[in-house]
Amino acid sequence: MTRPGKRRPPRRKELDPARRAAFDVLRAVSERDAYANLALPAILRERGIHGRDAAFATELTYGTCRTRGLLDAVIADAAGRTIDKIDPVLLDLLRLGTYQLLRTRVGQHAAVSTTVEQAGLEFDTARAGFVNGVLRKIAGRDEADWLEELAPPASTDPVGHQAFVHAHPRWIAQAFADALGADAGELSALLASDDARPDVHLAARPTALSAAELAEQVHGTVGRLSPYAVYLAGGDPGLLASVRDGVALVQDEGSQLVARAVTLAPLRGDDGGRWLDLCAGPGGKTALLAAIGQAAGVDGLTVTAVEPAPRRADLVEENTRGLPVEVVRVDGRESGLEPGFDRVLVDAPCTGLGALRRRPEARWRRQPGDVPQLAKLQRELLASAIRLTRPGGVVLYATCSPHLVETVGVVADALRRHPVEALDARPLFAPAEGLGPGPYVQLWPHRHGTDAMFAAALQVG
């Protein structure tokens, strides 16, 4: 009981629903390696958060995840200690507060006070005071001032400077600059595109309806590059009847162009309808491949879809229901399949650096050490695909990464070791332009509005 004349300490306020949702997703990403783009929608649905609160929670969650490296550098400077010396829960709170101060229009008082109150609830007054001190120091300067102080000098380290300013790990920015080559001056625009909220892309199944019909149904816009593409400005595509009924797929336009390119590649000899998707899960490209072939009236068409992971193989079956697709649950490197396929797609597992705009935490989760192991797997899968393809048939190798080790490096290895020649893939991606010097194709989000898909077409001798 409080003594007469003594004031009861004020009760601390918990975070409002939007900030609480964002904070809980940040903790799930940090503690359990959760995916923000999966965890957040589930929390919003479970807690009944809609409208402006849902939009605010989304901005806080995805923005904080994307800019983590920049936020951590500012926090470390303001705290006078490295981030590994800060409790992980406090660190996520500080990231949430710092993002509001530097990247939103939230008032300083609201950004600081809500974060400090939660620190007091999670810990104690002393650590709430620590959070208060750090955030007030951060709030004393705007983002431009912090960047000027902490970013590597543009004159001596232009890539490092761009990486810091656009909140990317330096190794990823360098990989992008290497892939851009002579167009490395576009690096800033490319990095900035990773922070732009991408439109939802749908693919109309050509055997069911046209892109124009789908666009009318969903109040979307017909795509620029793929004849099957429709753009949505927002909303949950899983709620659309066309998606639920299987006549449309949620699929980046770049992936649609890859699937279409497989069907357009010139063969020597007749197309016998034996097509193969060697890395099929979750089945989006497989479904489009089969639907394009079916709409074109390819005789005897069967698309064999290889996927070893049980859950992903189940998804392939769900996404290709009603299409001429056979799902085989084996490792694509040792599939045991009978050779002689006419067209083979190898959409190989990769770092996913080309889809960072859709996976807000991915840029900080991936490490340079991931690349060699994935490149080994990619080389093995491409070698298997070549062995399974008949003479005169075509293998289309694709990755959702522009990293040269995963793209031209893997293809160069195949050209040295196997009886294949590289076709000019650029005509297969028309009407897209600015695809690179050839013979390979590199799509870019800042040029094409797609994920950064790479593709190479190889004809077997």
Side-chain angles (χ1 to χ4, degrees), residues 11-14 112-122 128:
R11 183 174 178 179
R12 294 190 181 276
K13 294 181 181 178
E14 293 191 0
V112 173
S113 63
T114 55
T115 311
V116 171
E117 291 281 286
Q118 190 62 30
L121 287 170
E122 298 278 348

Side-chain angles (χ1 to χ4, degrees), residues 99-176:
Y99 180 78
Q100 292 174 73
L101 290 171
L102 298 185
R103 287 285 180 102
T104 73
R105 296 180 179 178
V106 173
Q108 287 189 6
H109 176 74
V112 173
S113 63
T114 55
T115 311
V116 171
E117 291 281 286
Q118 190 62 30
L121 287 170
E122 298 278 348
F123 294 97
D124 50 37
T125 301
R127 274 176 276 199
F130 167 72
V131 169
N132 184 59
V134 172
L135 290 182
R136 289 195 179 281
K137 185 172 181 181
I138 292 170
R141 308 166 72 179
D142 62 16
E143 182 185 4
D145 286 340
W146 283 110
L147 290 175
E148 185 176 356
E149 177 178 340
L150 300 178
S155 58
T156 57
D157 185 5
V159 172
H161 180 84
Q162 293 287 356
F164 191 88
V165 166
H166 293 290
H168 282 66
R170 193 193 186 287
W171 74 273
I172 292 179
Q174 185 64 62
F176 287 175

Side-chain angles (χ1 to χ4, degrees), residues 143-457:
E143 182 185 4
D145 286 340
W146 283 110
L147 290 175
E148 185 176 356
E149 177 178 340
L150 300 178
S155 58
T156 57
D157 185 5
V159 172
H161 180 84
Q162 293 287 356
F164 191 88
V165 166
H166 293 290
H168 282 66
R170 193 193 186 287
W171 74 273
I172 292 179
Q174 185 64 62
F176 287 175
D178 293 343
L180 284 166
D183 297 320
E186 298 178 17
L187 179 61
S188 180
L190 171 56
L191 296 175
S193 71
D194 278 346
D195 290 337
R197 183 177 179 180
D199 287 339
V200 175
H201 292 180
L202 302 180
R205 183 176 286 187
T207 50
L209 77 173
S210 68
E213 290 167 336
L214 176 60
E216 185 175 358
Q217 288 181 15
V218 302
H219 307 292
T221 305
V222 173
R224 294 184 302 113
L225 303 176
S226 164
Y228 318 111
V230 170
Y231 307 152
L232 292 180
D236 184 351
L239 301 178
L240 298 172
S242 52
V243 173
R244 292 199 309 270
D245 295 342
V247 297
L249 293 165
V250 180
Q251 188 175 59
D252 181 77
E253 191 171 21
S255 294
Q256 297 176 39
L257 292 173
V258 165
R260 177 171 173 260
V262 177
T263 72
L264 296 177
L267 305 178
R268 290 202 307 270
D270 295 333
D271 189 341
R274 281 196 76 200
W275 296 5
L276 172 65
D277 186 348
L278 198 61
C279 310
K285 292 186 185 69
T286 317
L288 190 55
L289 266 177
I292 293 172
Q294 196 174 52
V298 176
D299 289 337
L301 176 67
T302 299
V303 180
T304 301
V306 173
E307 177 51 57
R311 175 57 186 149
R312 289 172 66 83
D314 290 343
L315 288 172
V316 176
E317 291 188 340
E318 291 174 23
N319 287 325
T320 60
R321 192 170 290 117
L323 291 166
V325 173
E326 174 192 18
V327 180
V328 182
R329 299 169 184 249
V330 296
D331 188 323
R333 293 170 291 183
E334 299 291 340
S335 66
L337 293 171
E338 183 71 25
F341 288 94
D342 300 285
R343 302 179 185 274
V344 179
L345 171 61
V346 185
D347 180 22
C350 67
T351 54
L353 301 184
L356 295 182
R357 61 196 185 132
R358 300 189 187 277
R359 298 164 190 162
E361 73 290 322
R363 68 184 71 173
W364 308 108
R365 185 170 285 168
R366 279 296 186 191
Q367 300 297 324
D370 298 335
V371 177
Q373 183 178 0
L374 283 164
K376 179 177 182 294
L377 173 61
Q378 292 155 0
R379 290 192 298 270
E380 292 170 350
L381 286 166
L382 182 52
S384 175
I386 292 167
R387 290 194 298 269
L388 291 168
T389 305
R390 68 164 176 83
V394 171
V395 177
L396 194 131
Y397 173 78
T399 63
C400 189
S401 168
H403 197 298
L404 294 179
V405 173
E406 300 184 87
T407 59
V408 296
V410 171
V411 176
D413 179 78
L415 291 171
R416 283 194 305 269
R417 296 173 181 270
H418 304 286
V420 292
E421 63 173 319
L423 302 176
D424 189 346
R426 292 171 296 176
L428 309 179
F429 284 76
E433 298 177 341
L435 300 172
Y440 314 130
V441 160
Q442 181 63 65
L443 297 168
W444 294 110
H446 69 292
R447 287 186 195 171
H448 307 105
T450 67
D451 292 342
M453 298 292 299
F454 169 87

